[in-house]
Amino acid sequence: MAVWGARMPAVQAAAQLGPGRLAMVLLAAAAGMVVGLQLGGRLAHRYGPARLLVGPAIIFGLSLALLGTCRSLTSLSLVAVVFGIGHGLLDVGANSAAVNLERAYQRRIMSSLHCAYSVGALTGAGLAAITAWAPYHVLFAAIGILTAMAAAAALPLVRSAGHRDAPAQQPSAQRDDSPESRGAPCGCSASWPRPASWGRAPQQTGPQSTCTLFTPPRRSLPSPTPPTARPWSQAVSSVTA
C-alpha cells in the first residue's frame, strides 16, 4: 500500500489521468476495501482468521503487480477494486489473528504488532523514494511477486497455527436449583419467603434468610369500627317520617 501511494504521480502520468479520473481510481480502491472488510468479518467468524492470511496476501501482491501494467481508467479501476478487496480481507485476517496471538501469549502485544505494521509502511515508502529513478511498473511487479511468494511460503506455518482460531472455552456456570437459592435476590444464599407467606410470622423450621432487603414490611391493618346502635324509638320515628 505504501509503494502504491508513493508512486501515484507516476501512475497518473502514465495513464494520462486528470485529478477527477485519478479520484475515481482511488474511489474504486476504497470501495473494494469496504467490500473486503465486510466479507472478511463474516469469513473470519465462520472459518477463522487463519484462512484470511495467505489467500488475500497473494491477491494483494498480484493485484499490485497488475496495477503497474494498466494504462487506462477502466483497467486501473477494475484492478483497484481487486486490490482493495485483497487489502480489506488481509486487514481483517491480520487483526483477528493478532487477537488470538495475544490471547495465546497472555500478554499485551497488540501495540507491538501495530508498530511493526507502521515500520513496514515506512520501509515501503522509503523504498519507493529510493527507487524513484526506476519505472514504477518494475517496482510494482517486484514488490507484488515477492509479497505473493512470501505468503505462499508462510502457508505451512499458518496451517500449524490454525488451532488457535477456536475461541477459548469458558467454564459454563452451573445452575443452582436448590430451594435455598431459588429466587433469592442479591446473591443471598438462604431462602426467600414466597409471596403467599408475606405478612405472616416466620416459622423457625429451617435456615432463615440473611437478606431482608426485599422482604416487605408487615403493616397492621386498622380494625373496622362497629356501627353505633340507635334507640328503637329513633328508628321508628325515622321510618314513619
Side-chain angles (χ1 to χ4, degrees):
M1 180 61 70
V3 173
W4 158 254
R7 300 303 298 270
M8 187 66 63
V11 175
Q12 180 181 7
Q16 298 180 357
L17 300 177
R21 293 190 174 186
L22 179 61
M24 294 178 62
V25 175
L26 299 178
L27 179 61
M33 186 173 182
V34 171
V35 173
L37 291 174
Q38 294 294 328
L39 184 61
R42 298 181 180 181
L43 293 177
H45 178 72
R46 178 172 299 184
Y47 302 108
R51 302 287 183 90
L52 300 178
L53 295 179
V54 177
I58 295 176
I59 295 174
F60 194 43
L62 294 181
S63 60
L64 177 63
L66 288 177
L67 283 173
T69 62
C70 298
R71 296 294 185 272
S72 64
L73 174 63
T74 303
S75 60
L76 276 174
S77 300
L78 293 177
V79 180
V81 170
V82 179
F83 181 75
I85 291 175
H87 187 198
L89 292 174
L90 184 60
D91 194 8
V92 173
N95 282 278
S96 302
V99 172
N100 293 341
L101 184 62
E102 186 178 49
R103 185 186 298 116
Y105 268 79
Q106 297 182 354
R107 50 185 292 188
R108 297 181 179 180
I109 61 174
M110 185 65 71
S111 58
S112 300
L113 297 175
H114 281 89
C115 178
Y117 176 84
S118 301
V119 171
L122 181 62
T123 303
L127 180 62
I130 293 174
T131 59
W133 53 270
Y136 74 92
H137 59 87
V138 175
L139 179 63
F140 285 7
I143 298 297
I145 293 175
L146 287 177
T147 301
M149 292 176 60
L155 181 58
L157 183 61
V158 172
R159 285 182 176 179
S160 64
H163 65 280
R164 300 191 184 277
D165 290 345
Q169 298 294 333
Q170 299 292 338
S172 58
Q174 296 181 356
R175 181 179 177 181
D176 188 4
D177 292 332
S178 60
E180 289 77 9
S181 62
R182 187 187 306 121
C186 301
C188 300
S189 58
S191 61
W192 192 31
R194 296 177 179 273
S197 64
W198 290 355
R200 296 185 299 181
Q203 299 178 0
Q204 303 294 334
T205 58
Q208 299 300 315
S209 175
T210 59
C211 178
T212 59
L213 180 60
F214 291 91
T215 305
R218 299 181 60 187
R219 296 180 300 178
S220 59
L221 298 177
S223 58
T225 304
T228 305
R230 294 184 298 175
W232 179 82
S233 59
Q234 294 181 5
V236 172
S237 61
S238 60
V239 171
T240 56

